[in-house]
Every structure is written in structure tokens, then in C-alpha cells.
Amino acid sequence: MATNSAVKAAKSFLNTTGFSPEPTLLEQYVKCLSEDGLVEEAVDVYNALKETGISPSVVTSNAVLLGCLKARKLHLFWELHKGMMESEVDLERIRCLIQALCDGGEVSEGYELLKQGLKQGLDPGHDVYAKLISGFCKIGNYACMSEILHTMIAWNHFPNLYTYNEVIKGLCKNKKHVEAFCIFKSLKEKGYAPDRVVYTTMIHGLCEKGWLGSARKLWFEMIKKGMQPNELTYNVMIHGHLKRGEFVLAGEFYSEMLRKGYKETTVSCNTVISGFCSHGKSDEAFEFFKKMSETGVAPDAITYNALIQGFCKENKVEKGMKVYKELKALGLKPSVVTYAALVRNLKMSDSVETSLNF
């Protein structure tokens, strides 16, 4: 792979001398530009080659397509691909096309292309399967996700922990916690050793479902295996207990998090404030909010919106309006839910609503 300085030197030489290299050298230049992230320049040279009647090799064509993908320039990718429709489709091209389809949200089309390739004996490899699995998890299509998982294993590509984590996260996100927990347990049975990321994902899913007993069991299992919870893992448990109104347990986890050396952050403070507000404890939330400035933690729009909604929920509109004015003074925006809560509580006229400058 060419270094950035080498590519710049080549560009400067060609631009200043007007030298016209042999097509093979130009193709090498296209590959270097693509690998170095200079996609527009690579496309220009590639198109110039074609205009002179030269057909770039499959390797060169794939290199420039891959460059477009890495630079997240899908429009350029598909423009180039239109001009390559008659060229040979090899394994690398299939990989590029499936990734482009997944990146563009057309994961089902990517799956069809995978099946076509496999019929021809073209196996695109582990990363492509993982990309498709992740894509189907995002749209909640677990039938196709499961099919790809089985196909992947049948072609001797064994999912890694990252892929399984994506599956578990996707299942939990779409309220399929039982299925997620089954996959998590099967991991250990298959000889995998779930890491802290996978444990945290599963603990989060169990907390969201309200299965705090199972979540705590995994918490202690993780620690027993030598994996210490990080700030995210603590935040997940704190949120889970607050969601259930178990403030004492949530406080114990919060205090332990600080004792372990993790500092308070905007995210952790928002978790506590939102938890208090959702259970009619907006005054306690406000006291916690005031301590944020003492510890140097900056509130954000989520902090203010949670407080305003909490006050409105308890009909403490004056306090809500005070926080609202502070929100606006900082240049932050109220959410649609926050604005609706204020309007509903104050029973404002249209003219007063307009004065909020929302």
C-alpha cells in the first residue's frame, strides 16, 4: 500500500509535468489513490482511462469501488458500478456489492446476492455474513438473520463474539428477550467465553425486560470470571433498578461505581434524573441536578427535558418553566414531548405558544 506522501508526490509530478504514464501505471495509481482515501481523484483517473478506450482490470475496478465504500460515498459507488455492469463479477465484487447494499439499507437485496454467489460456489467470507446479520438485526428480520447464521456455519465460518453480540442486542431491542437469553446461554455451551461487552448487552436486555434477578446473576457471574463492570455496565444496572423504583439499590450501585474510580458523567447523571422524574420525584431529581455543577458535570438537553417533563407530570409548572428558561438561555431545544407537556399544563393560547420560540 502506498504511503500518503508517495501518493501526493505522484499527484504533484503528474500535475506539473503533464507526463502521461502507461495504462498499467495509471491503474496502479488509481489503486493507490483509492487506498489512500482520495476517492474523487481515483474516480477521475479511472474515468479518464475508460475515455481513452482502455478497460481497467477487475482488480482496479474493485479497488475504486472499495475506496468509495470506505469513504462512505455510495452515490459514487453506484455511478461507477453502472459502467461496470458488463465486466466480470468476481468474489471481491460480490463483497463490495453486498456491503454497499447493506450500507444503503437494502439488506434483503444483499442477501439475495449472497445466495446467488453461493450457488456459483463464491463464498464472500466471514465479514459479509456478519454485515448481513447486523443489517437484518437492525430491521428486526430474525428469520433471515437465523438463516444466514446457519448458512455461515455450514460454510465453515464461525460467528465471533461481535456477531453474536449484534444478534443479542438486536433481539433485545425488538423485545425478543427470551430468544436473546437462549442465544447467550448457548454461547457458553458451544465453548465461547462471552466478554464484558456481551455480558453488558445481555444484562441491559434483562434489565429492560424487568428481569433484575437474572441480570444480577449475570453481573456476579461476570465478576467471578474476572471481568470488572465498567461505567456502562453500572449505568445499565442503575437504570434497571430506577425503572423499577428501587432507589436504594440504584443508589448502592451508583456509590459503588464512584468507589471503583469511575467519575460521574452526563449520561450517568441523566440516568438518575430520568429515573427520579419517572417516579414522581422531580424535587429529588432537581437536587441531584444542582449537584452536577459542583462536580463539574455539564447537563445537556436530555437533562433539562427530563426535569421539565418531571415537573409538569407533577403539576409543578412554575418550576418547569424556570428550567425551561434556563434550557433556552443555553441555546438548547426542548423536545416535542417537553413542549407538549408545558402547553398542556399551562393551557396556553396560540400567541403564548409562539412566544416560546419553539
Side-chain angles (χ1 to χ4, degrees), residues 263-325:
K263 294 182 179 180
E264 291 178 293
T265 63
T266 304
V267 173
S268 64
C269 289
N270 286 348
T271 298
V272 174
I273 289 168
S274 298
F276 275 127
C277 289
S278 65
H279 286 278
K281 292 180 177 288
S282 57
D283 287 330
E284 288 90 334
F286 190 64
E287 288 303 312
F288 191 89
F289 165 74
K290 288 192 291 186
K291 290 177 183 176
M292 287 176 70
S293 59
E294 297 171 13
T295 53
V297 181
D300 59 10
I302 295 171
T303 320
Y304 285 101
N305 279 294
L307 279 170
I308 296 166
Q309 290 171 38
F311 280 131
C312 288
K313 186 178 177 182
E314 297 172 49
N315 296 317
K316 297 173 181 175
V317 187
E318 286 186 16
K319 290 183 177 180
M321 281 302 297
K322 186 177 178 181
V323 177
Y324 171 81
K325 288 174 183 175

Side-chain angles (χ1 to χ4, degrees), residues 155-214:
W155 282 79
N156 294 316
H157 298 291
F158 297 97
N160 57 24
L161 283 177
Y162 175 81
T163 301
Y164 274 119
N165 191 60
E166 287 289 293
V167 172
I168 292 167
K169 183 166 61 176
L171 287 167
C172 289
K173 186 179 177 182
N174 286 274
K175 304 188 185 303
K176 294 183 179 289
H177 301 86
V178 175
E179 293 90 334
F181 201 28
C182 285
I183 287 175
F184 177 82
K185 288 189 290 186
S186 73
L187 274 179
K188 293 182 283 186
E189 293 165 5
K190 290 175 181 176
Y192 286 86
D195 59 12
R196 185 169 60 183
V197 174
V198 179
Y199 267 100
T200 300
T201 299
M202 194 66 254
I203 289 169
H204 181 242
L206 294 171
C207 285
E208 286 295 302
K209 184 67 175 174
W211 296 343
L212 292 183
S214 296

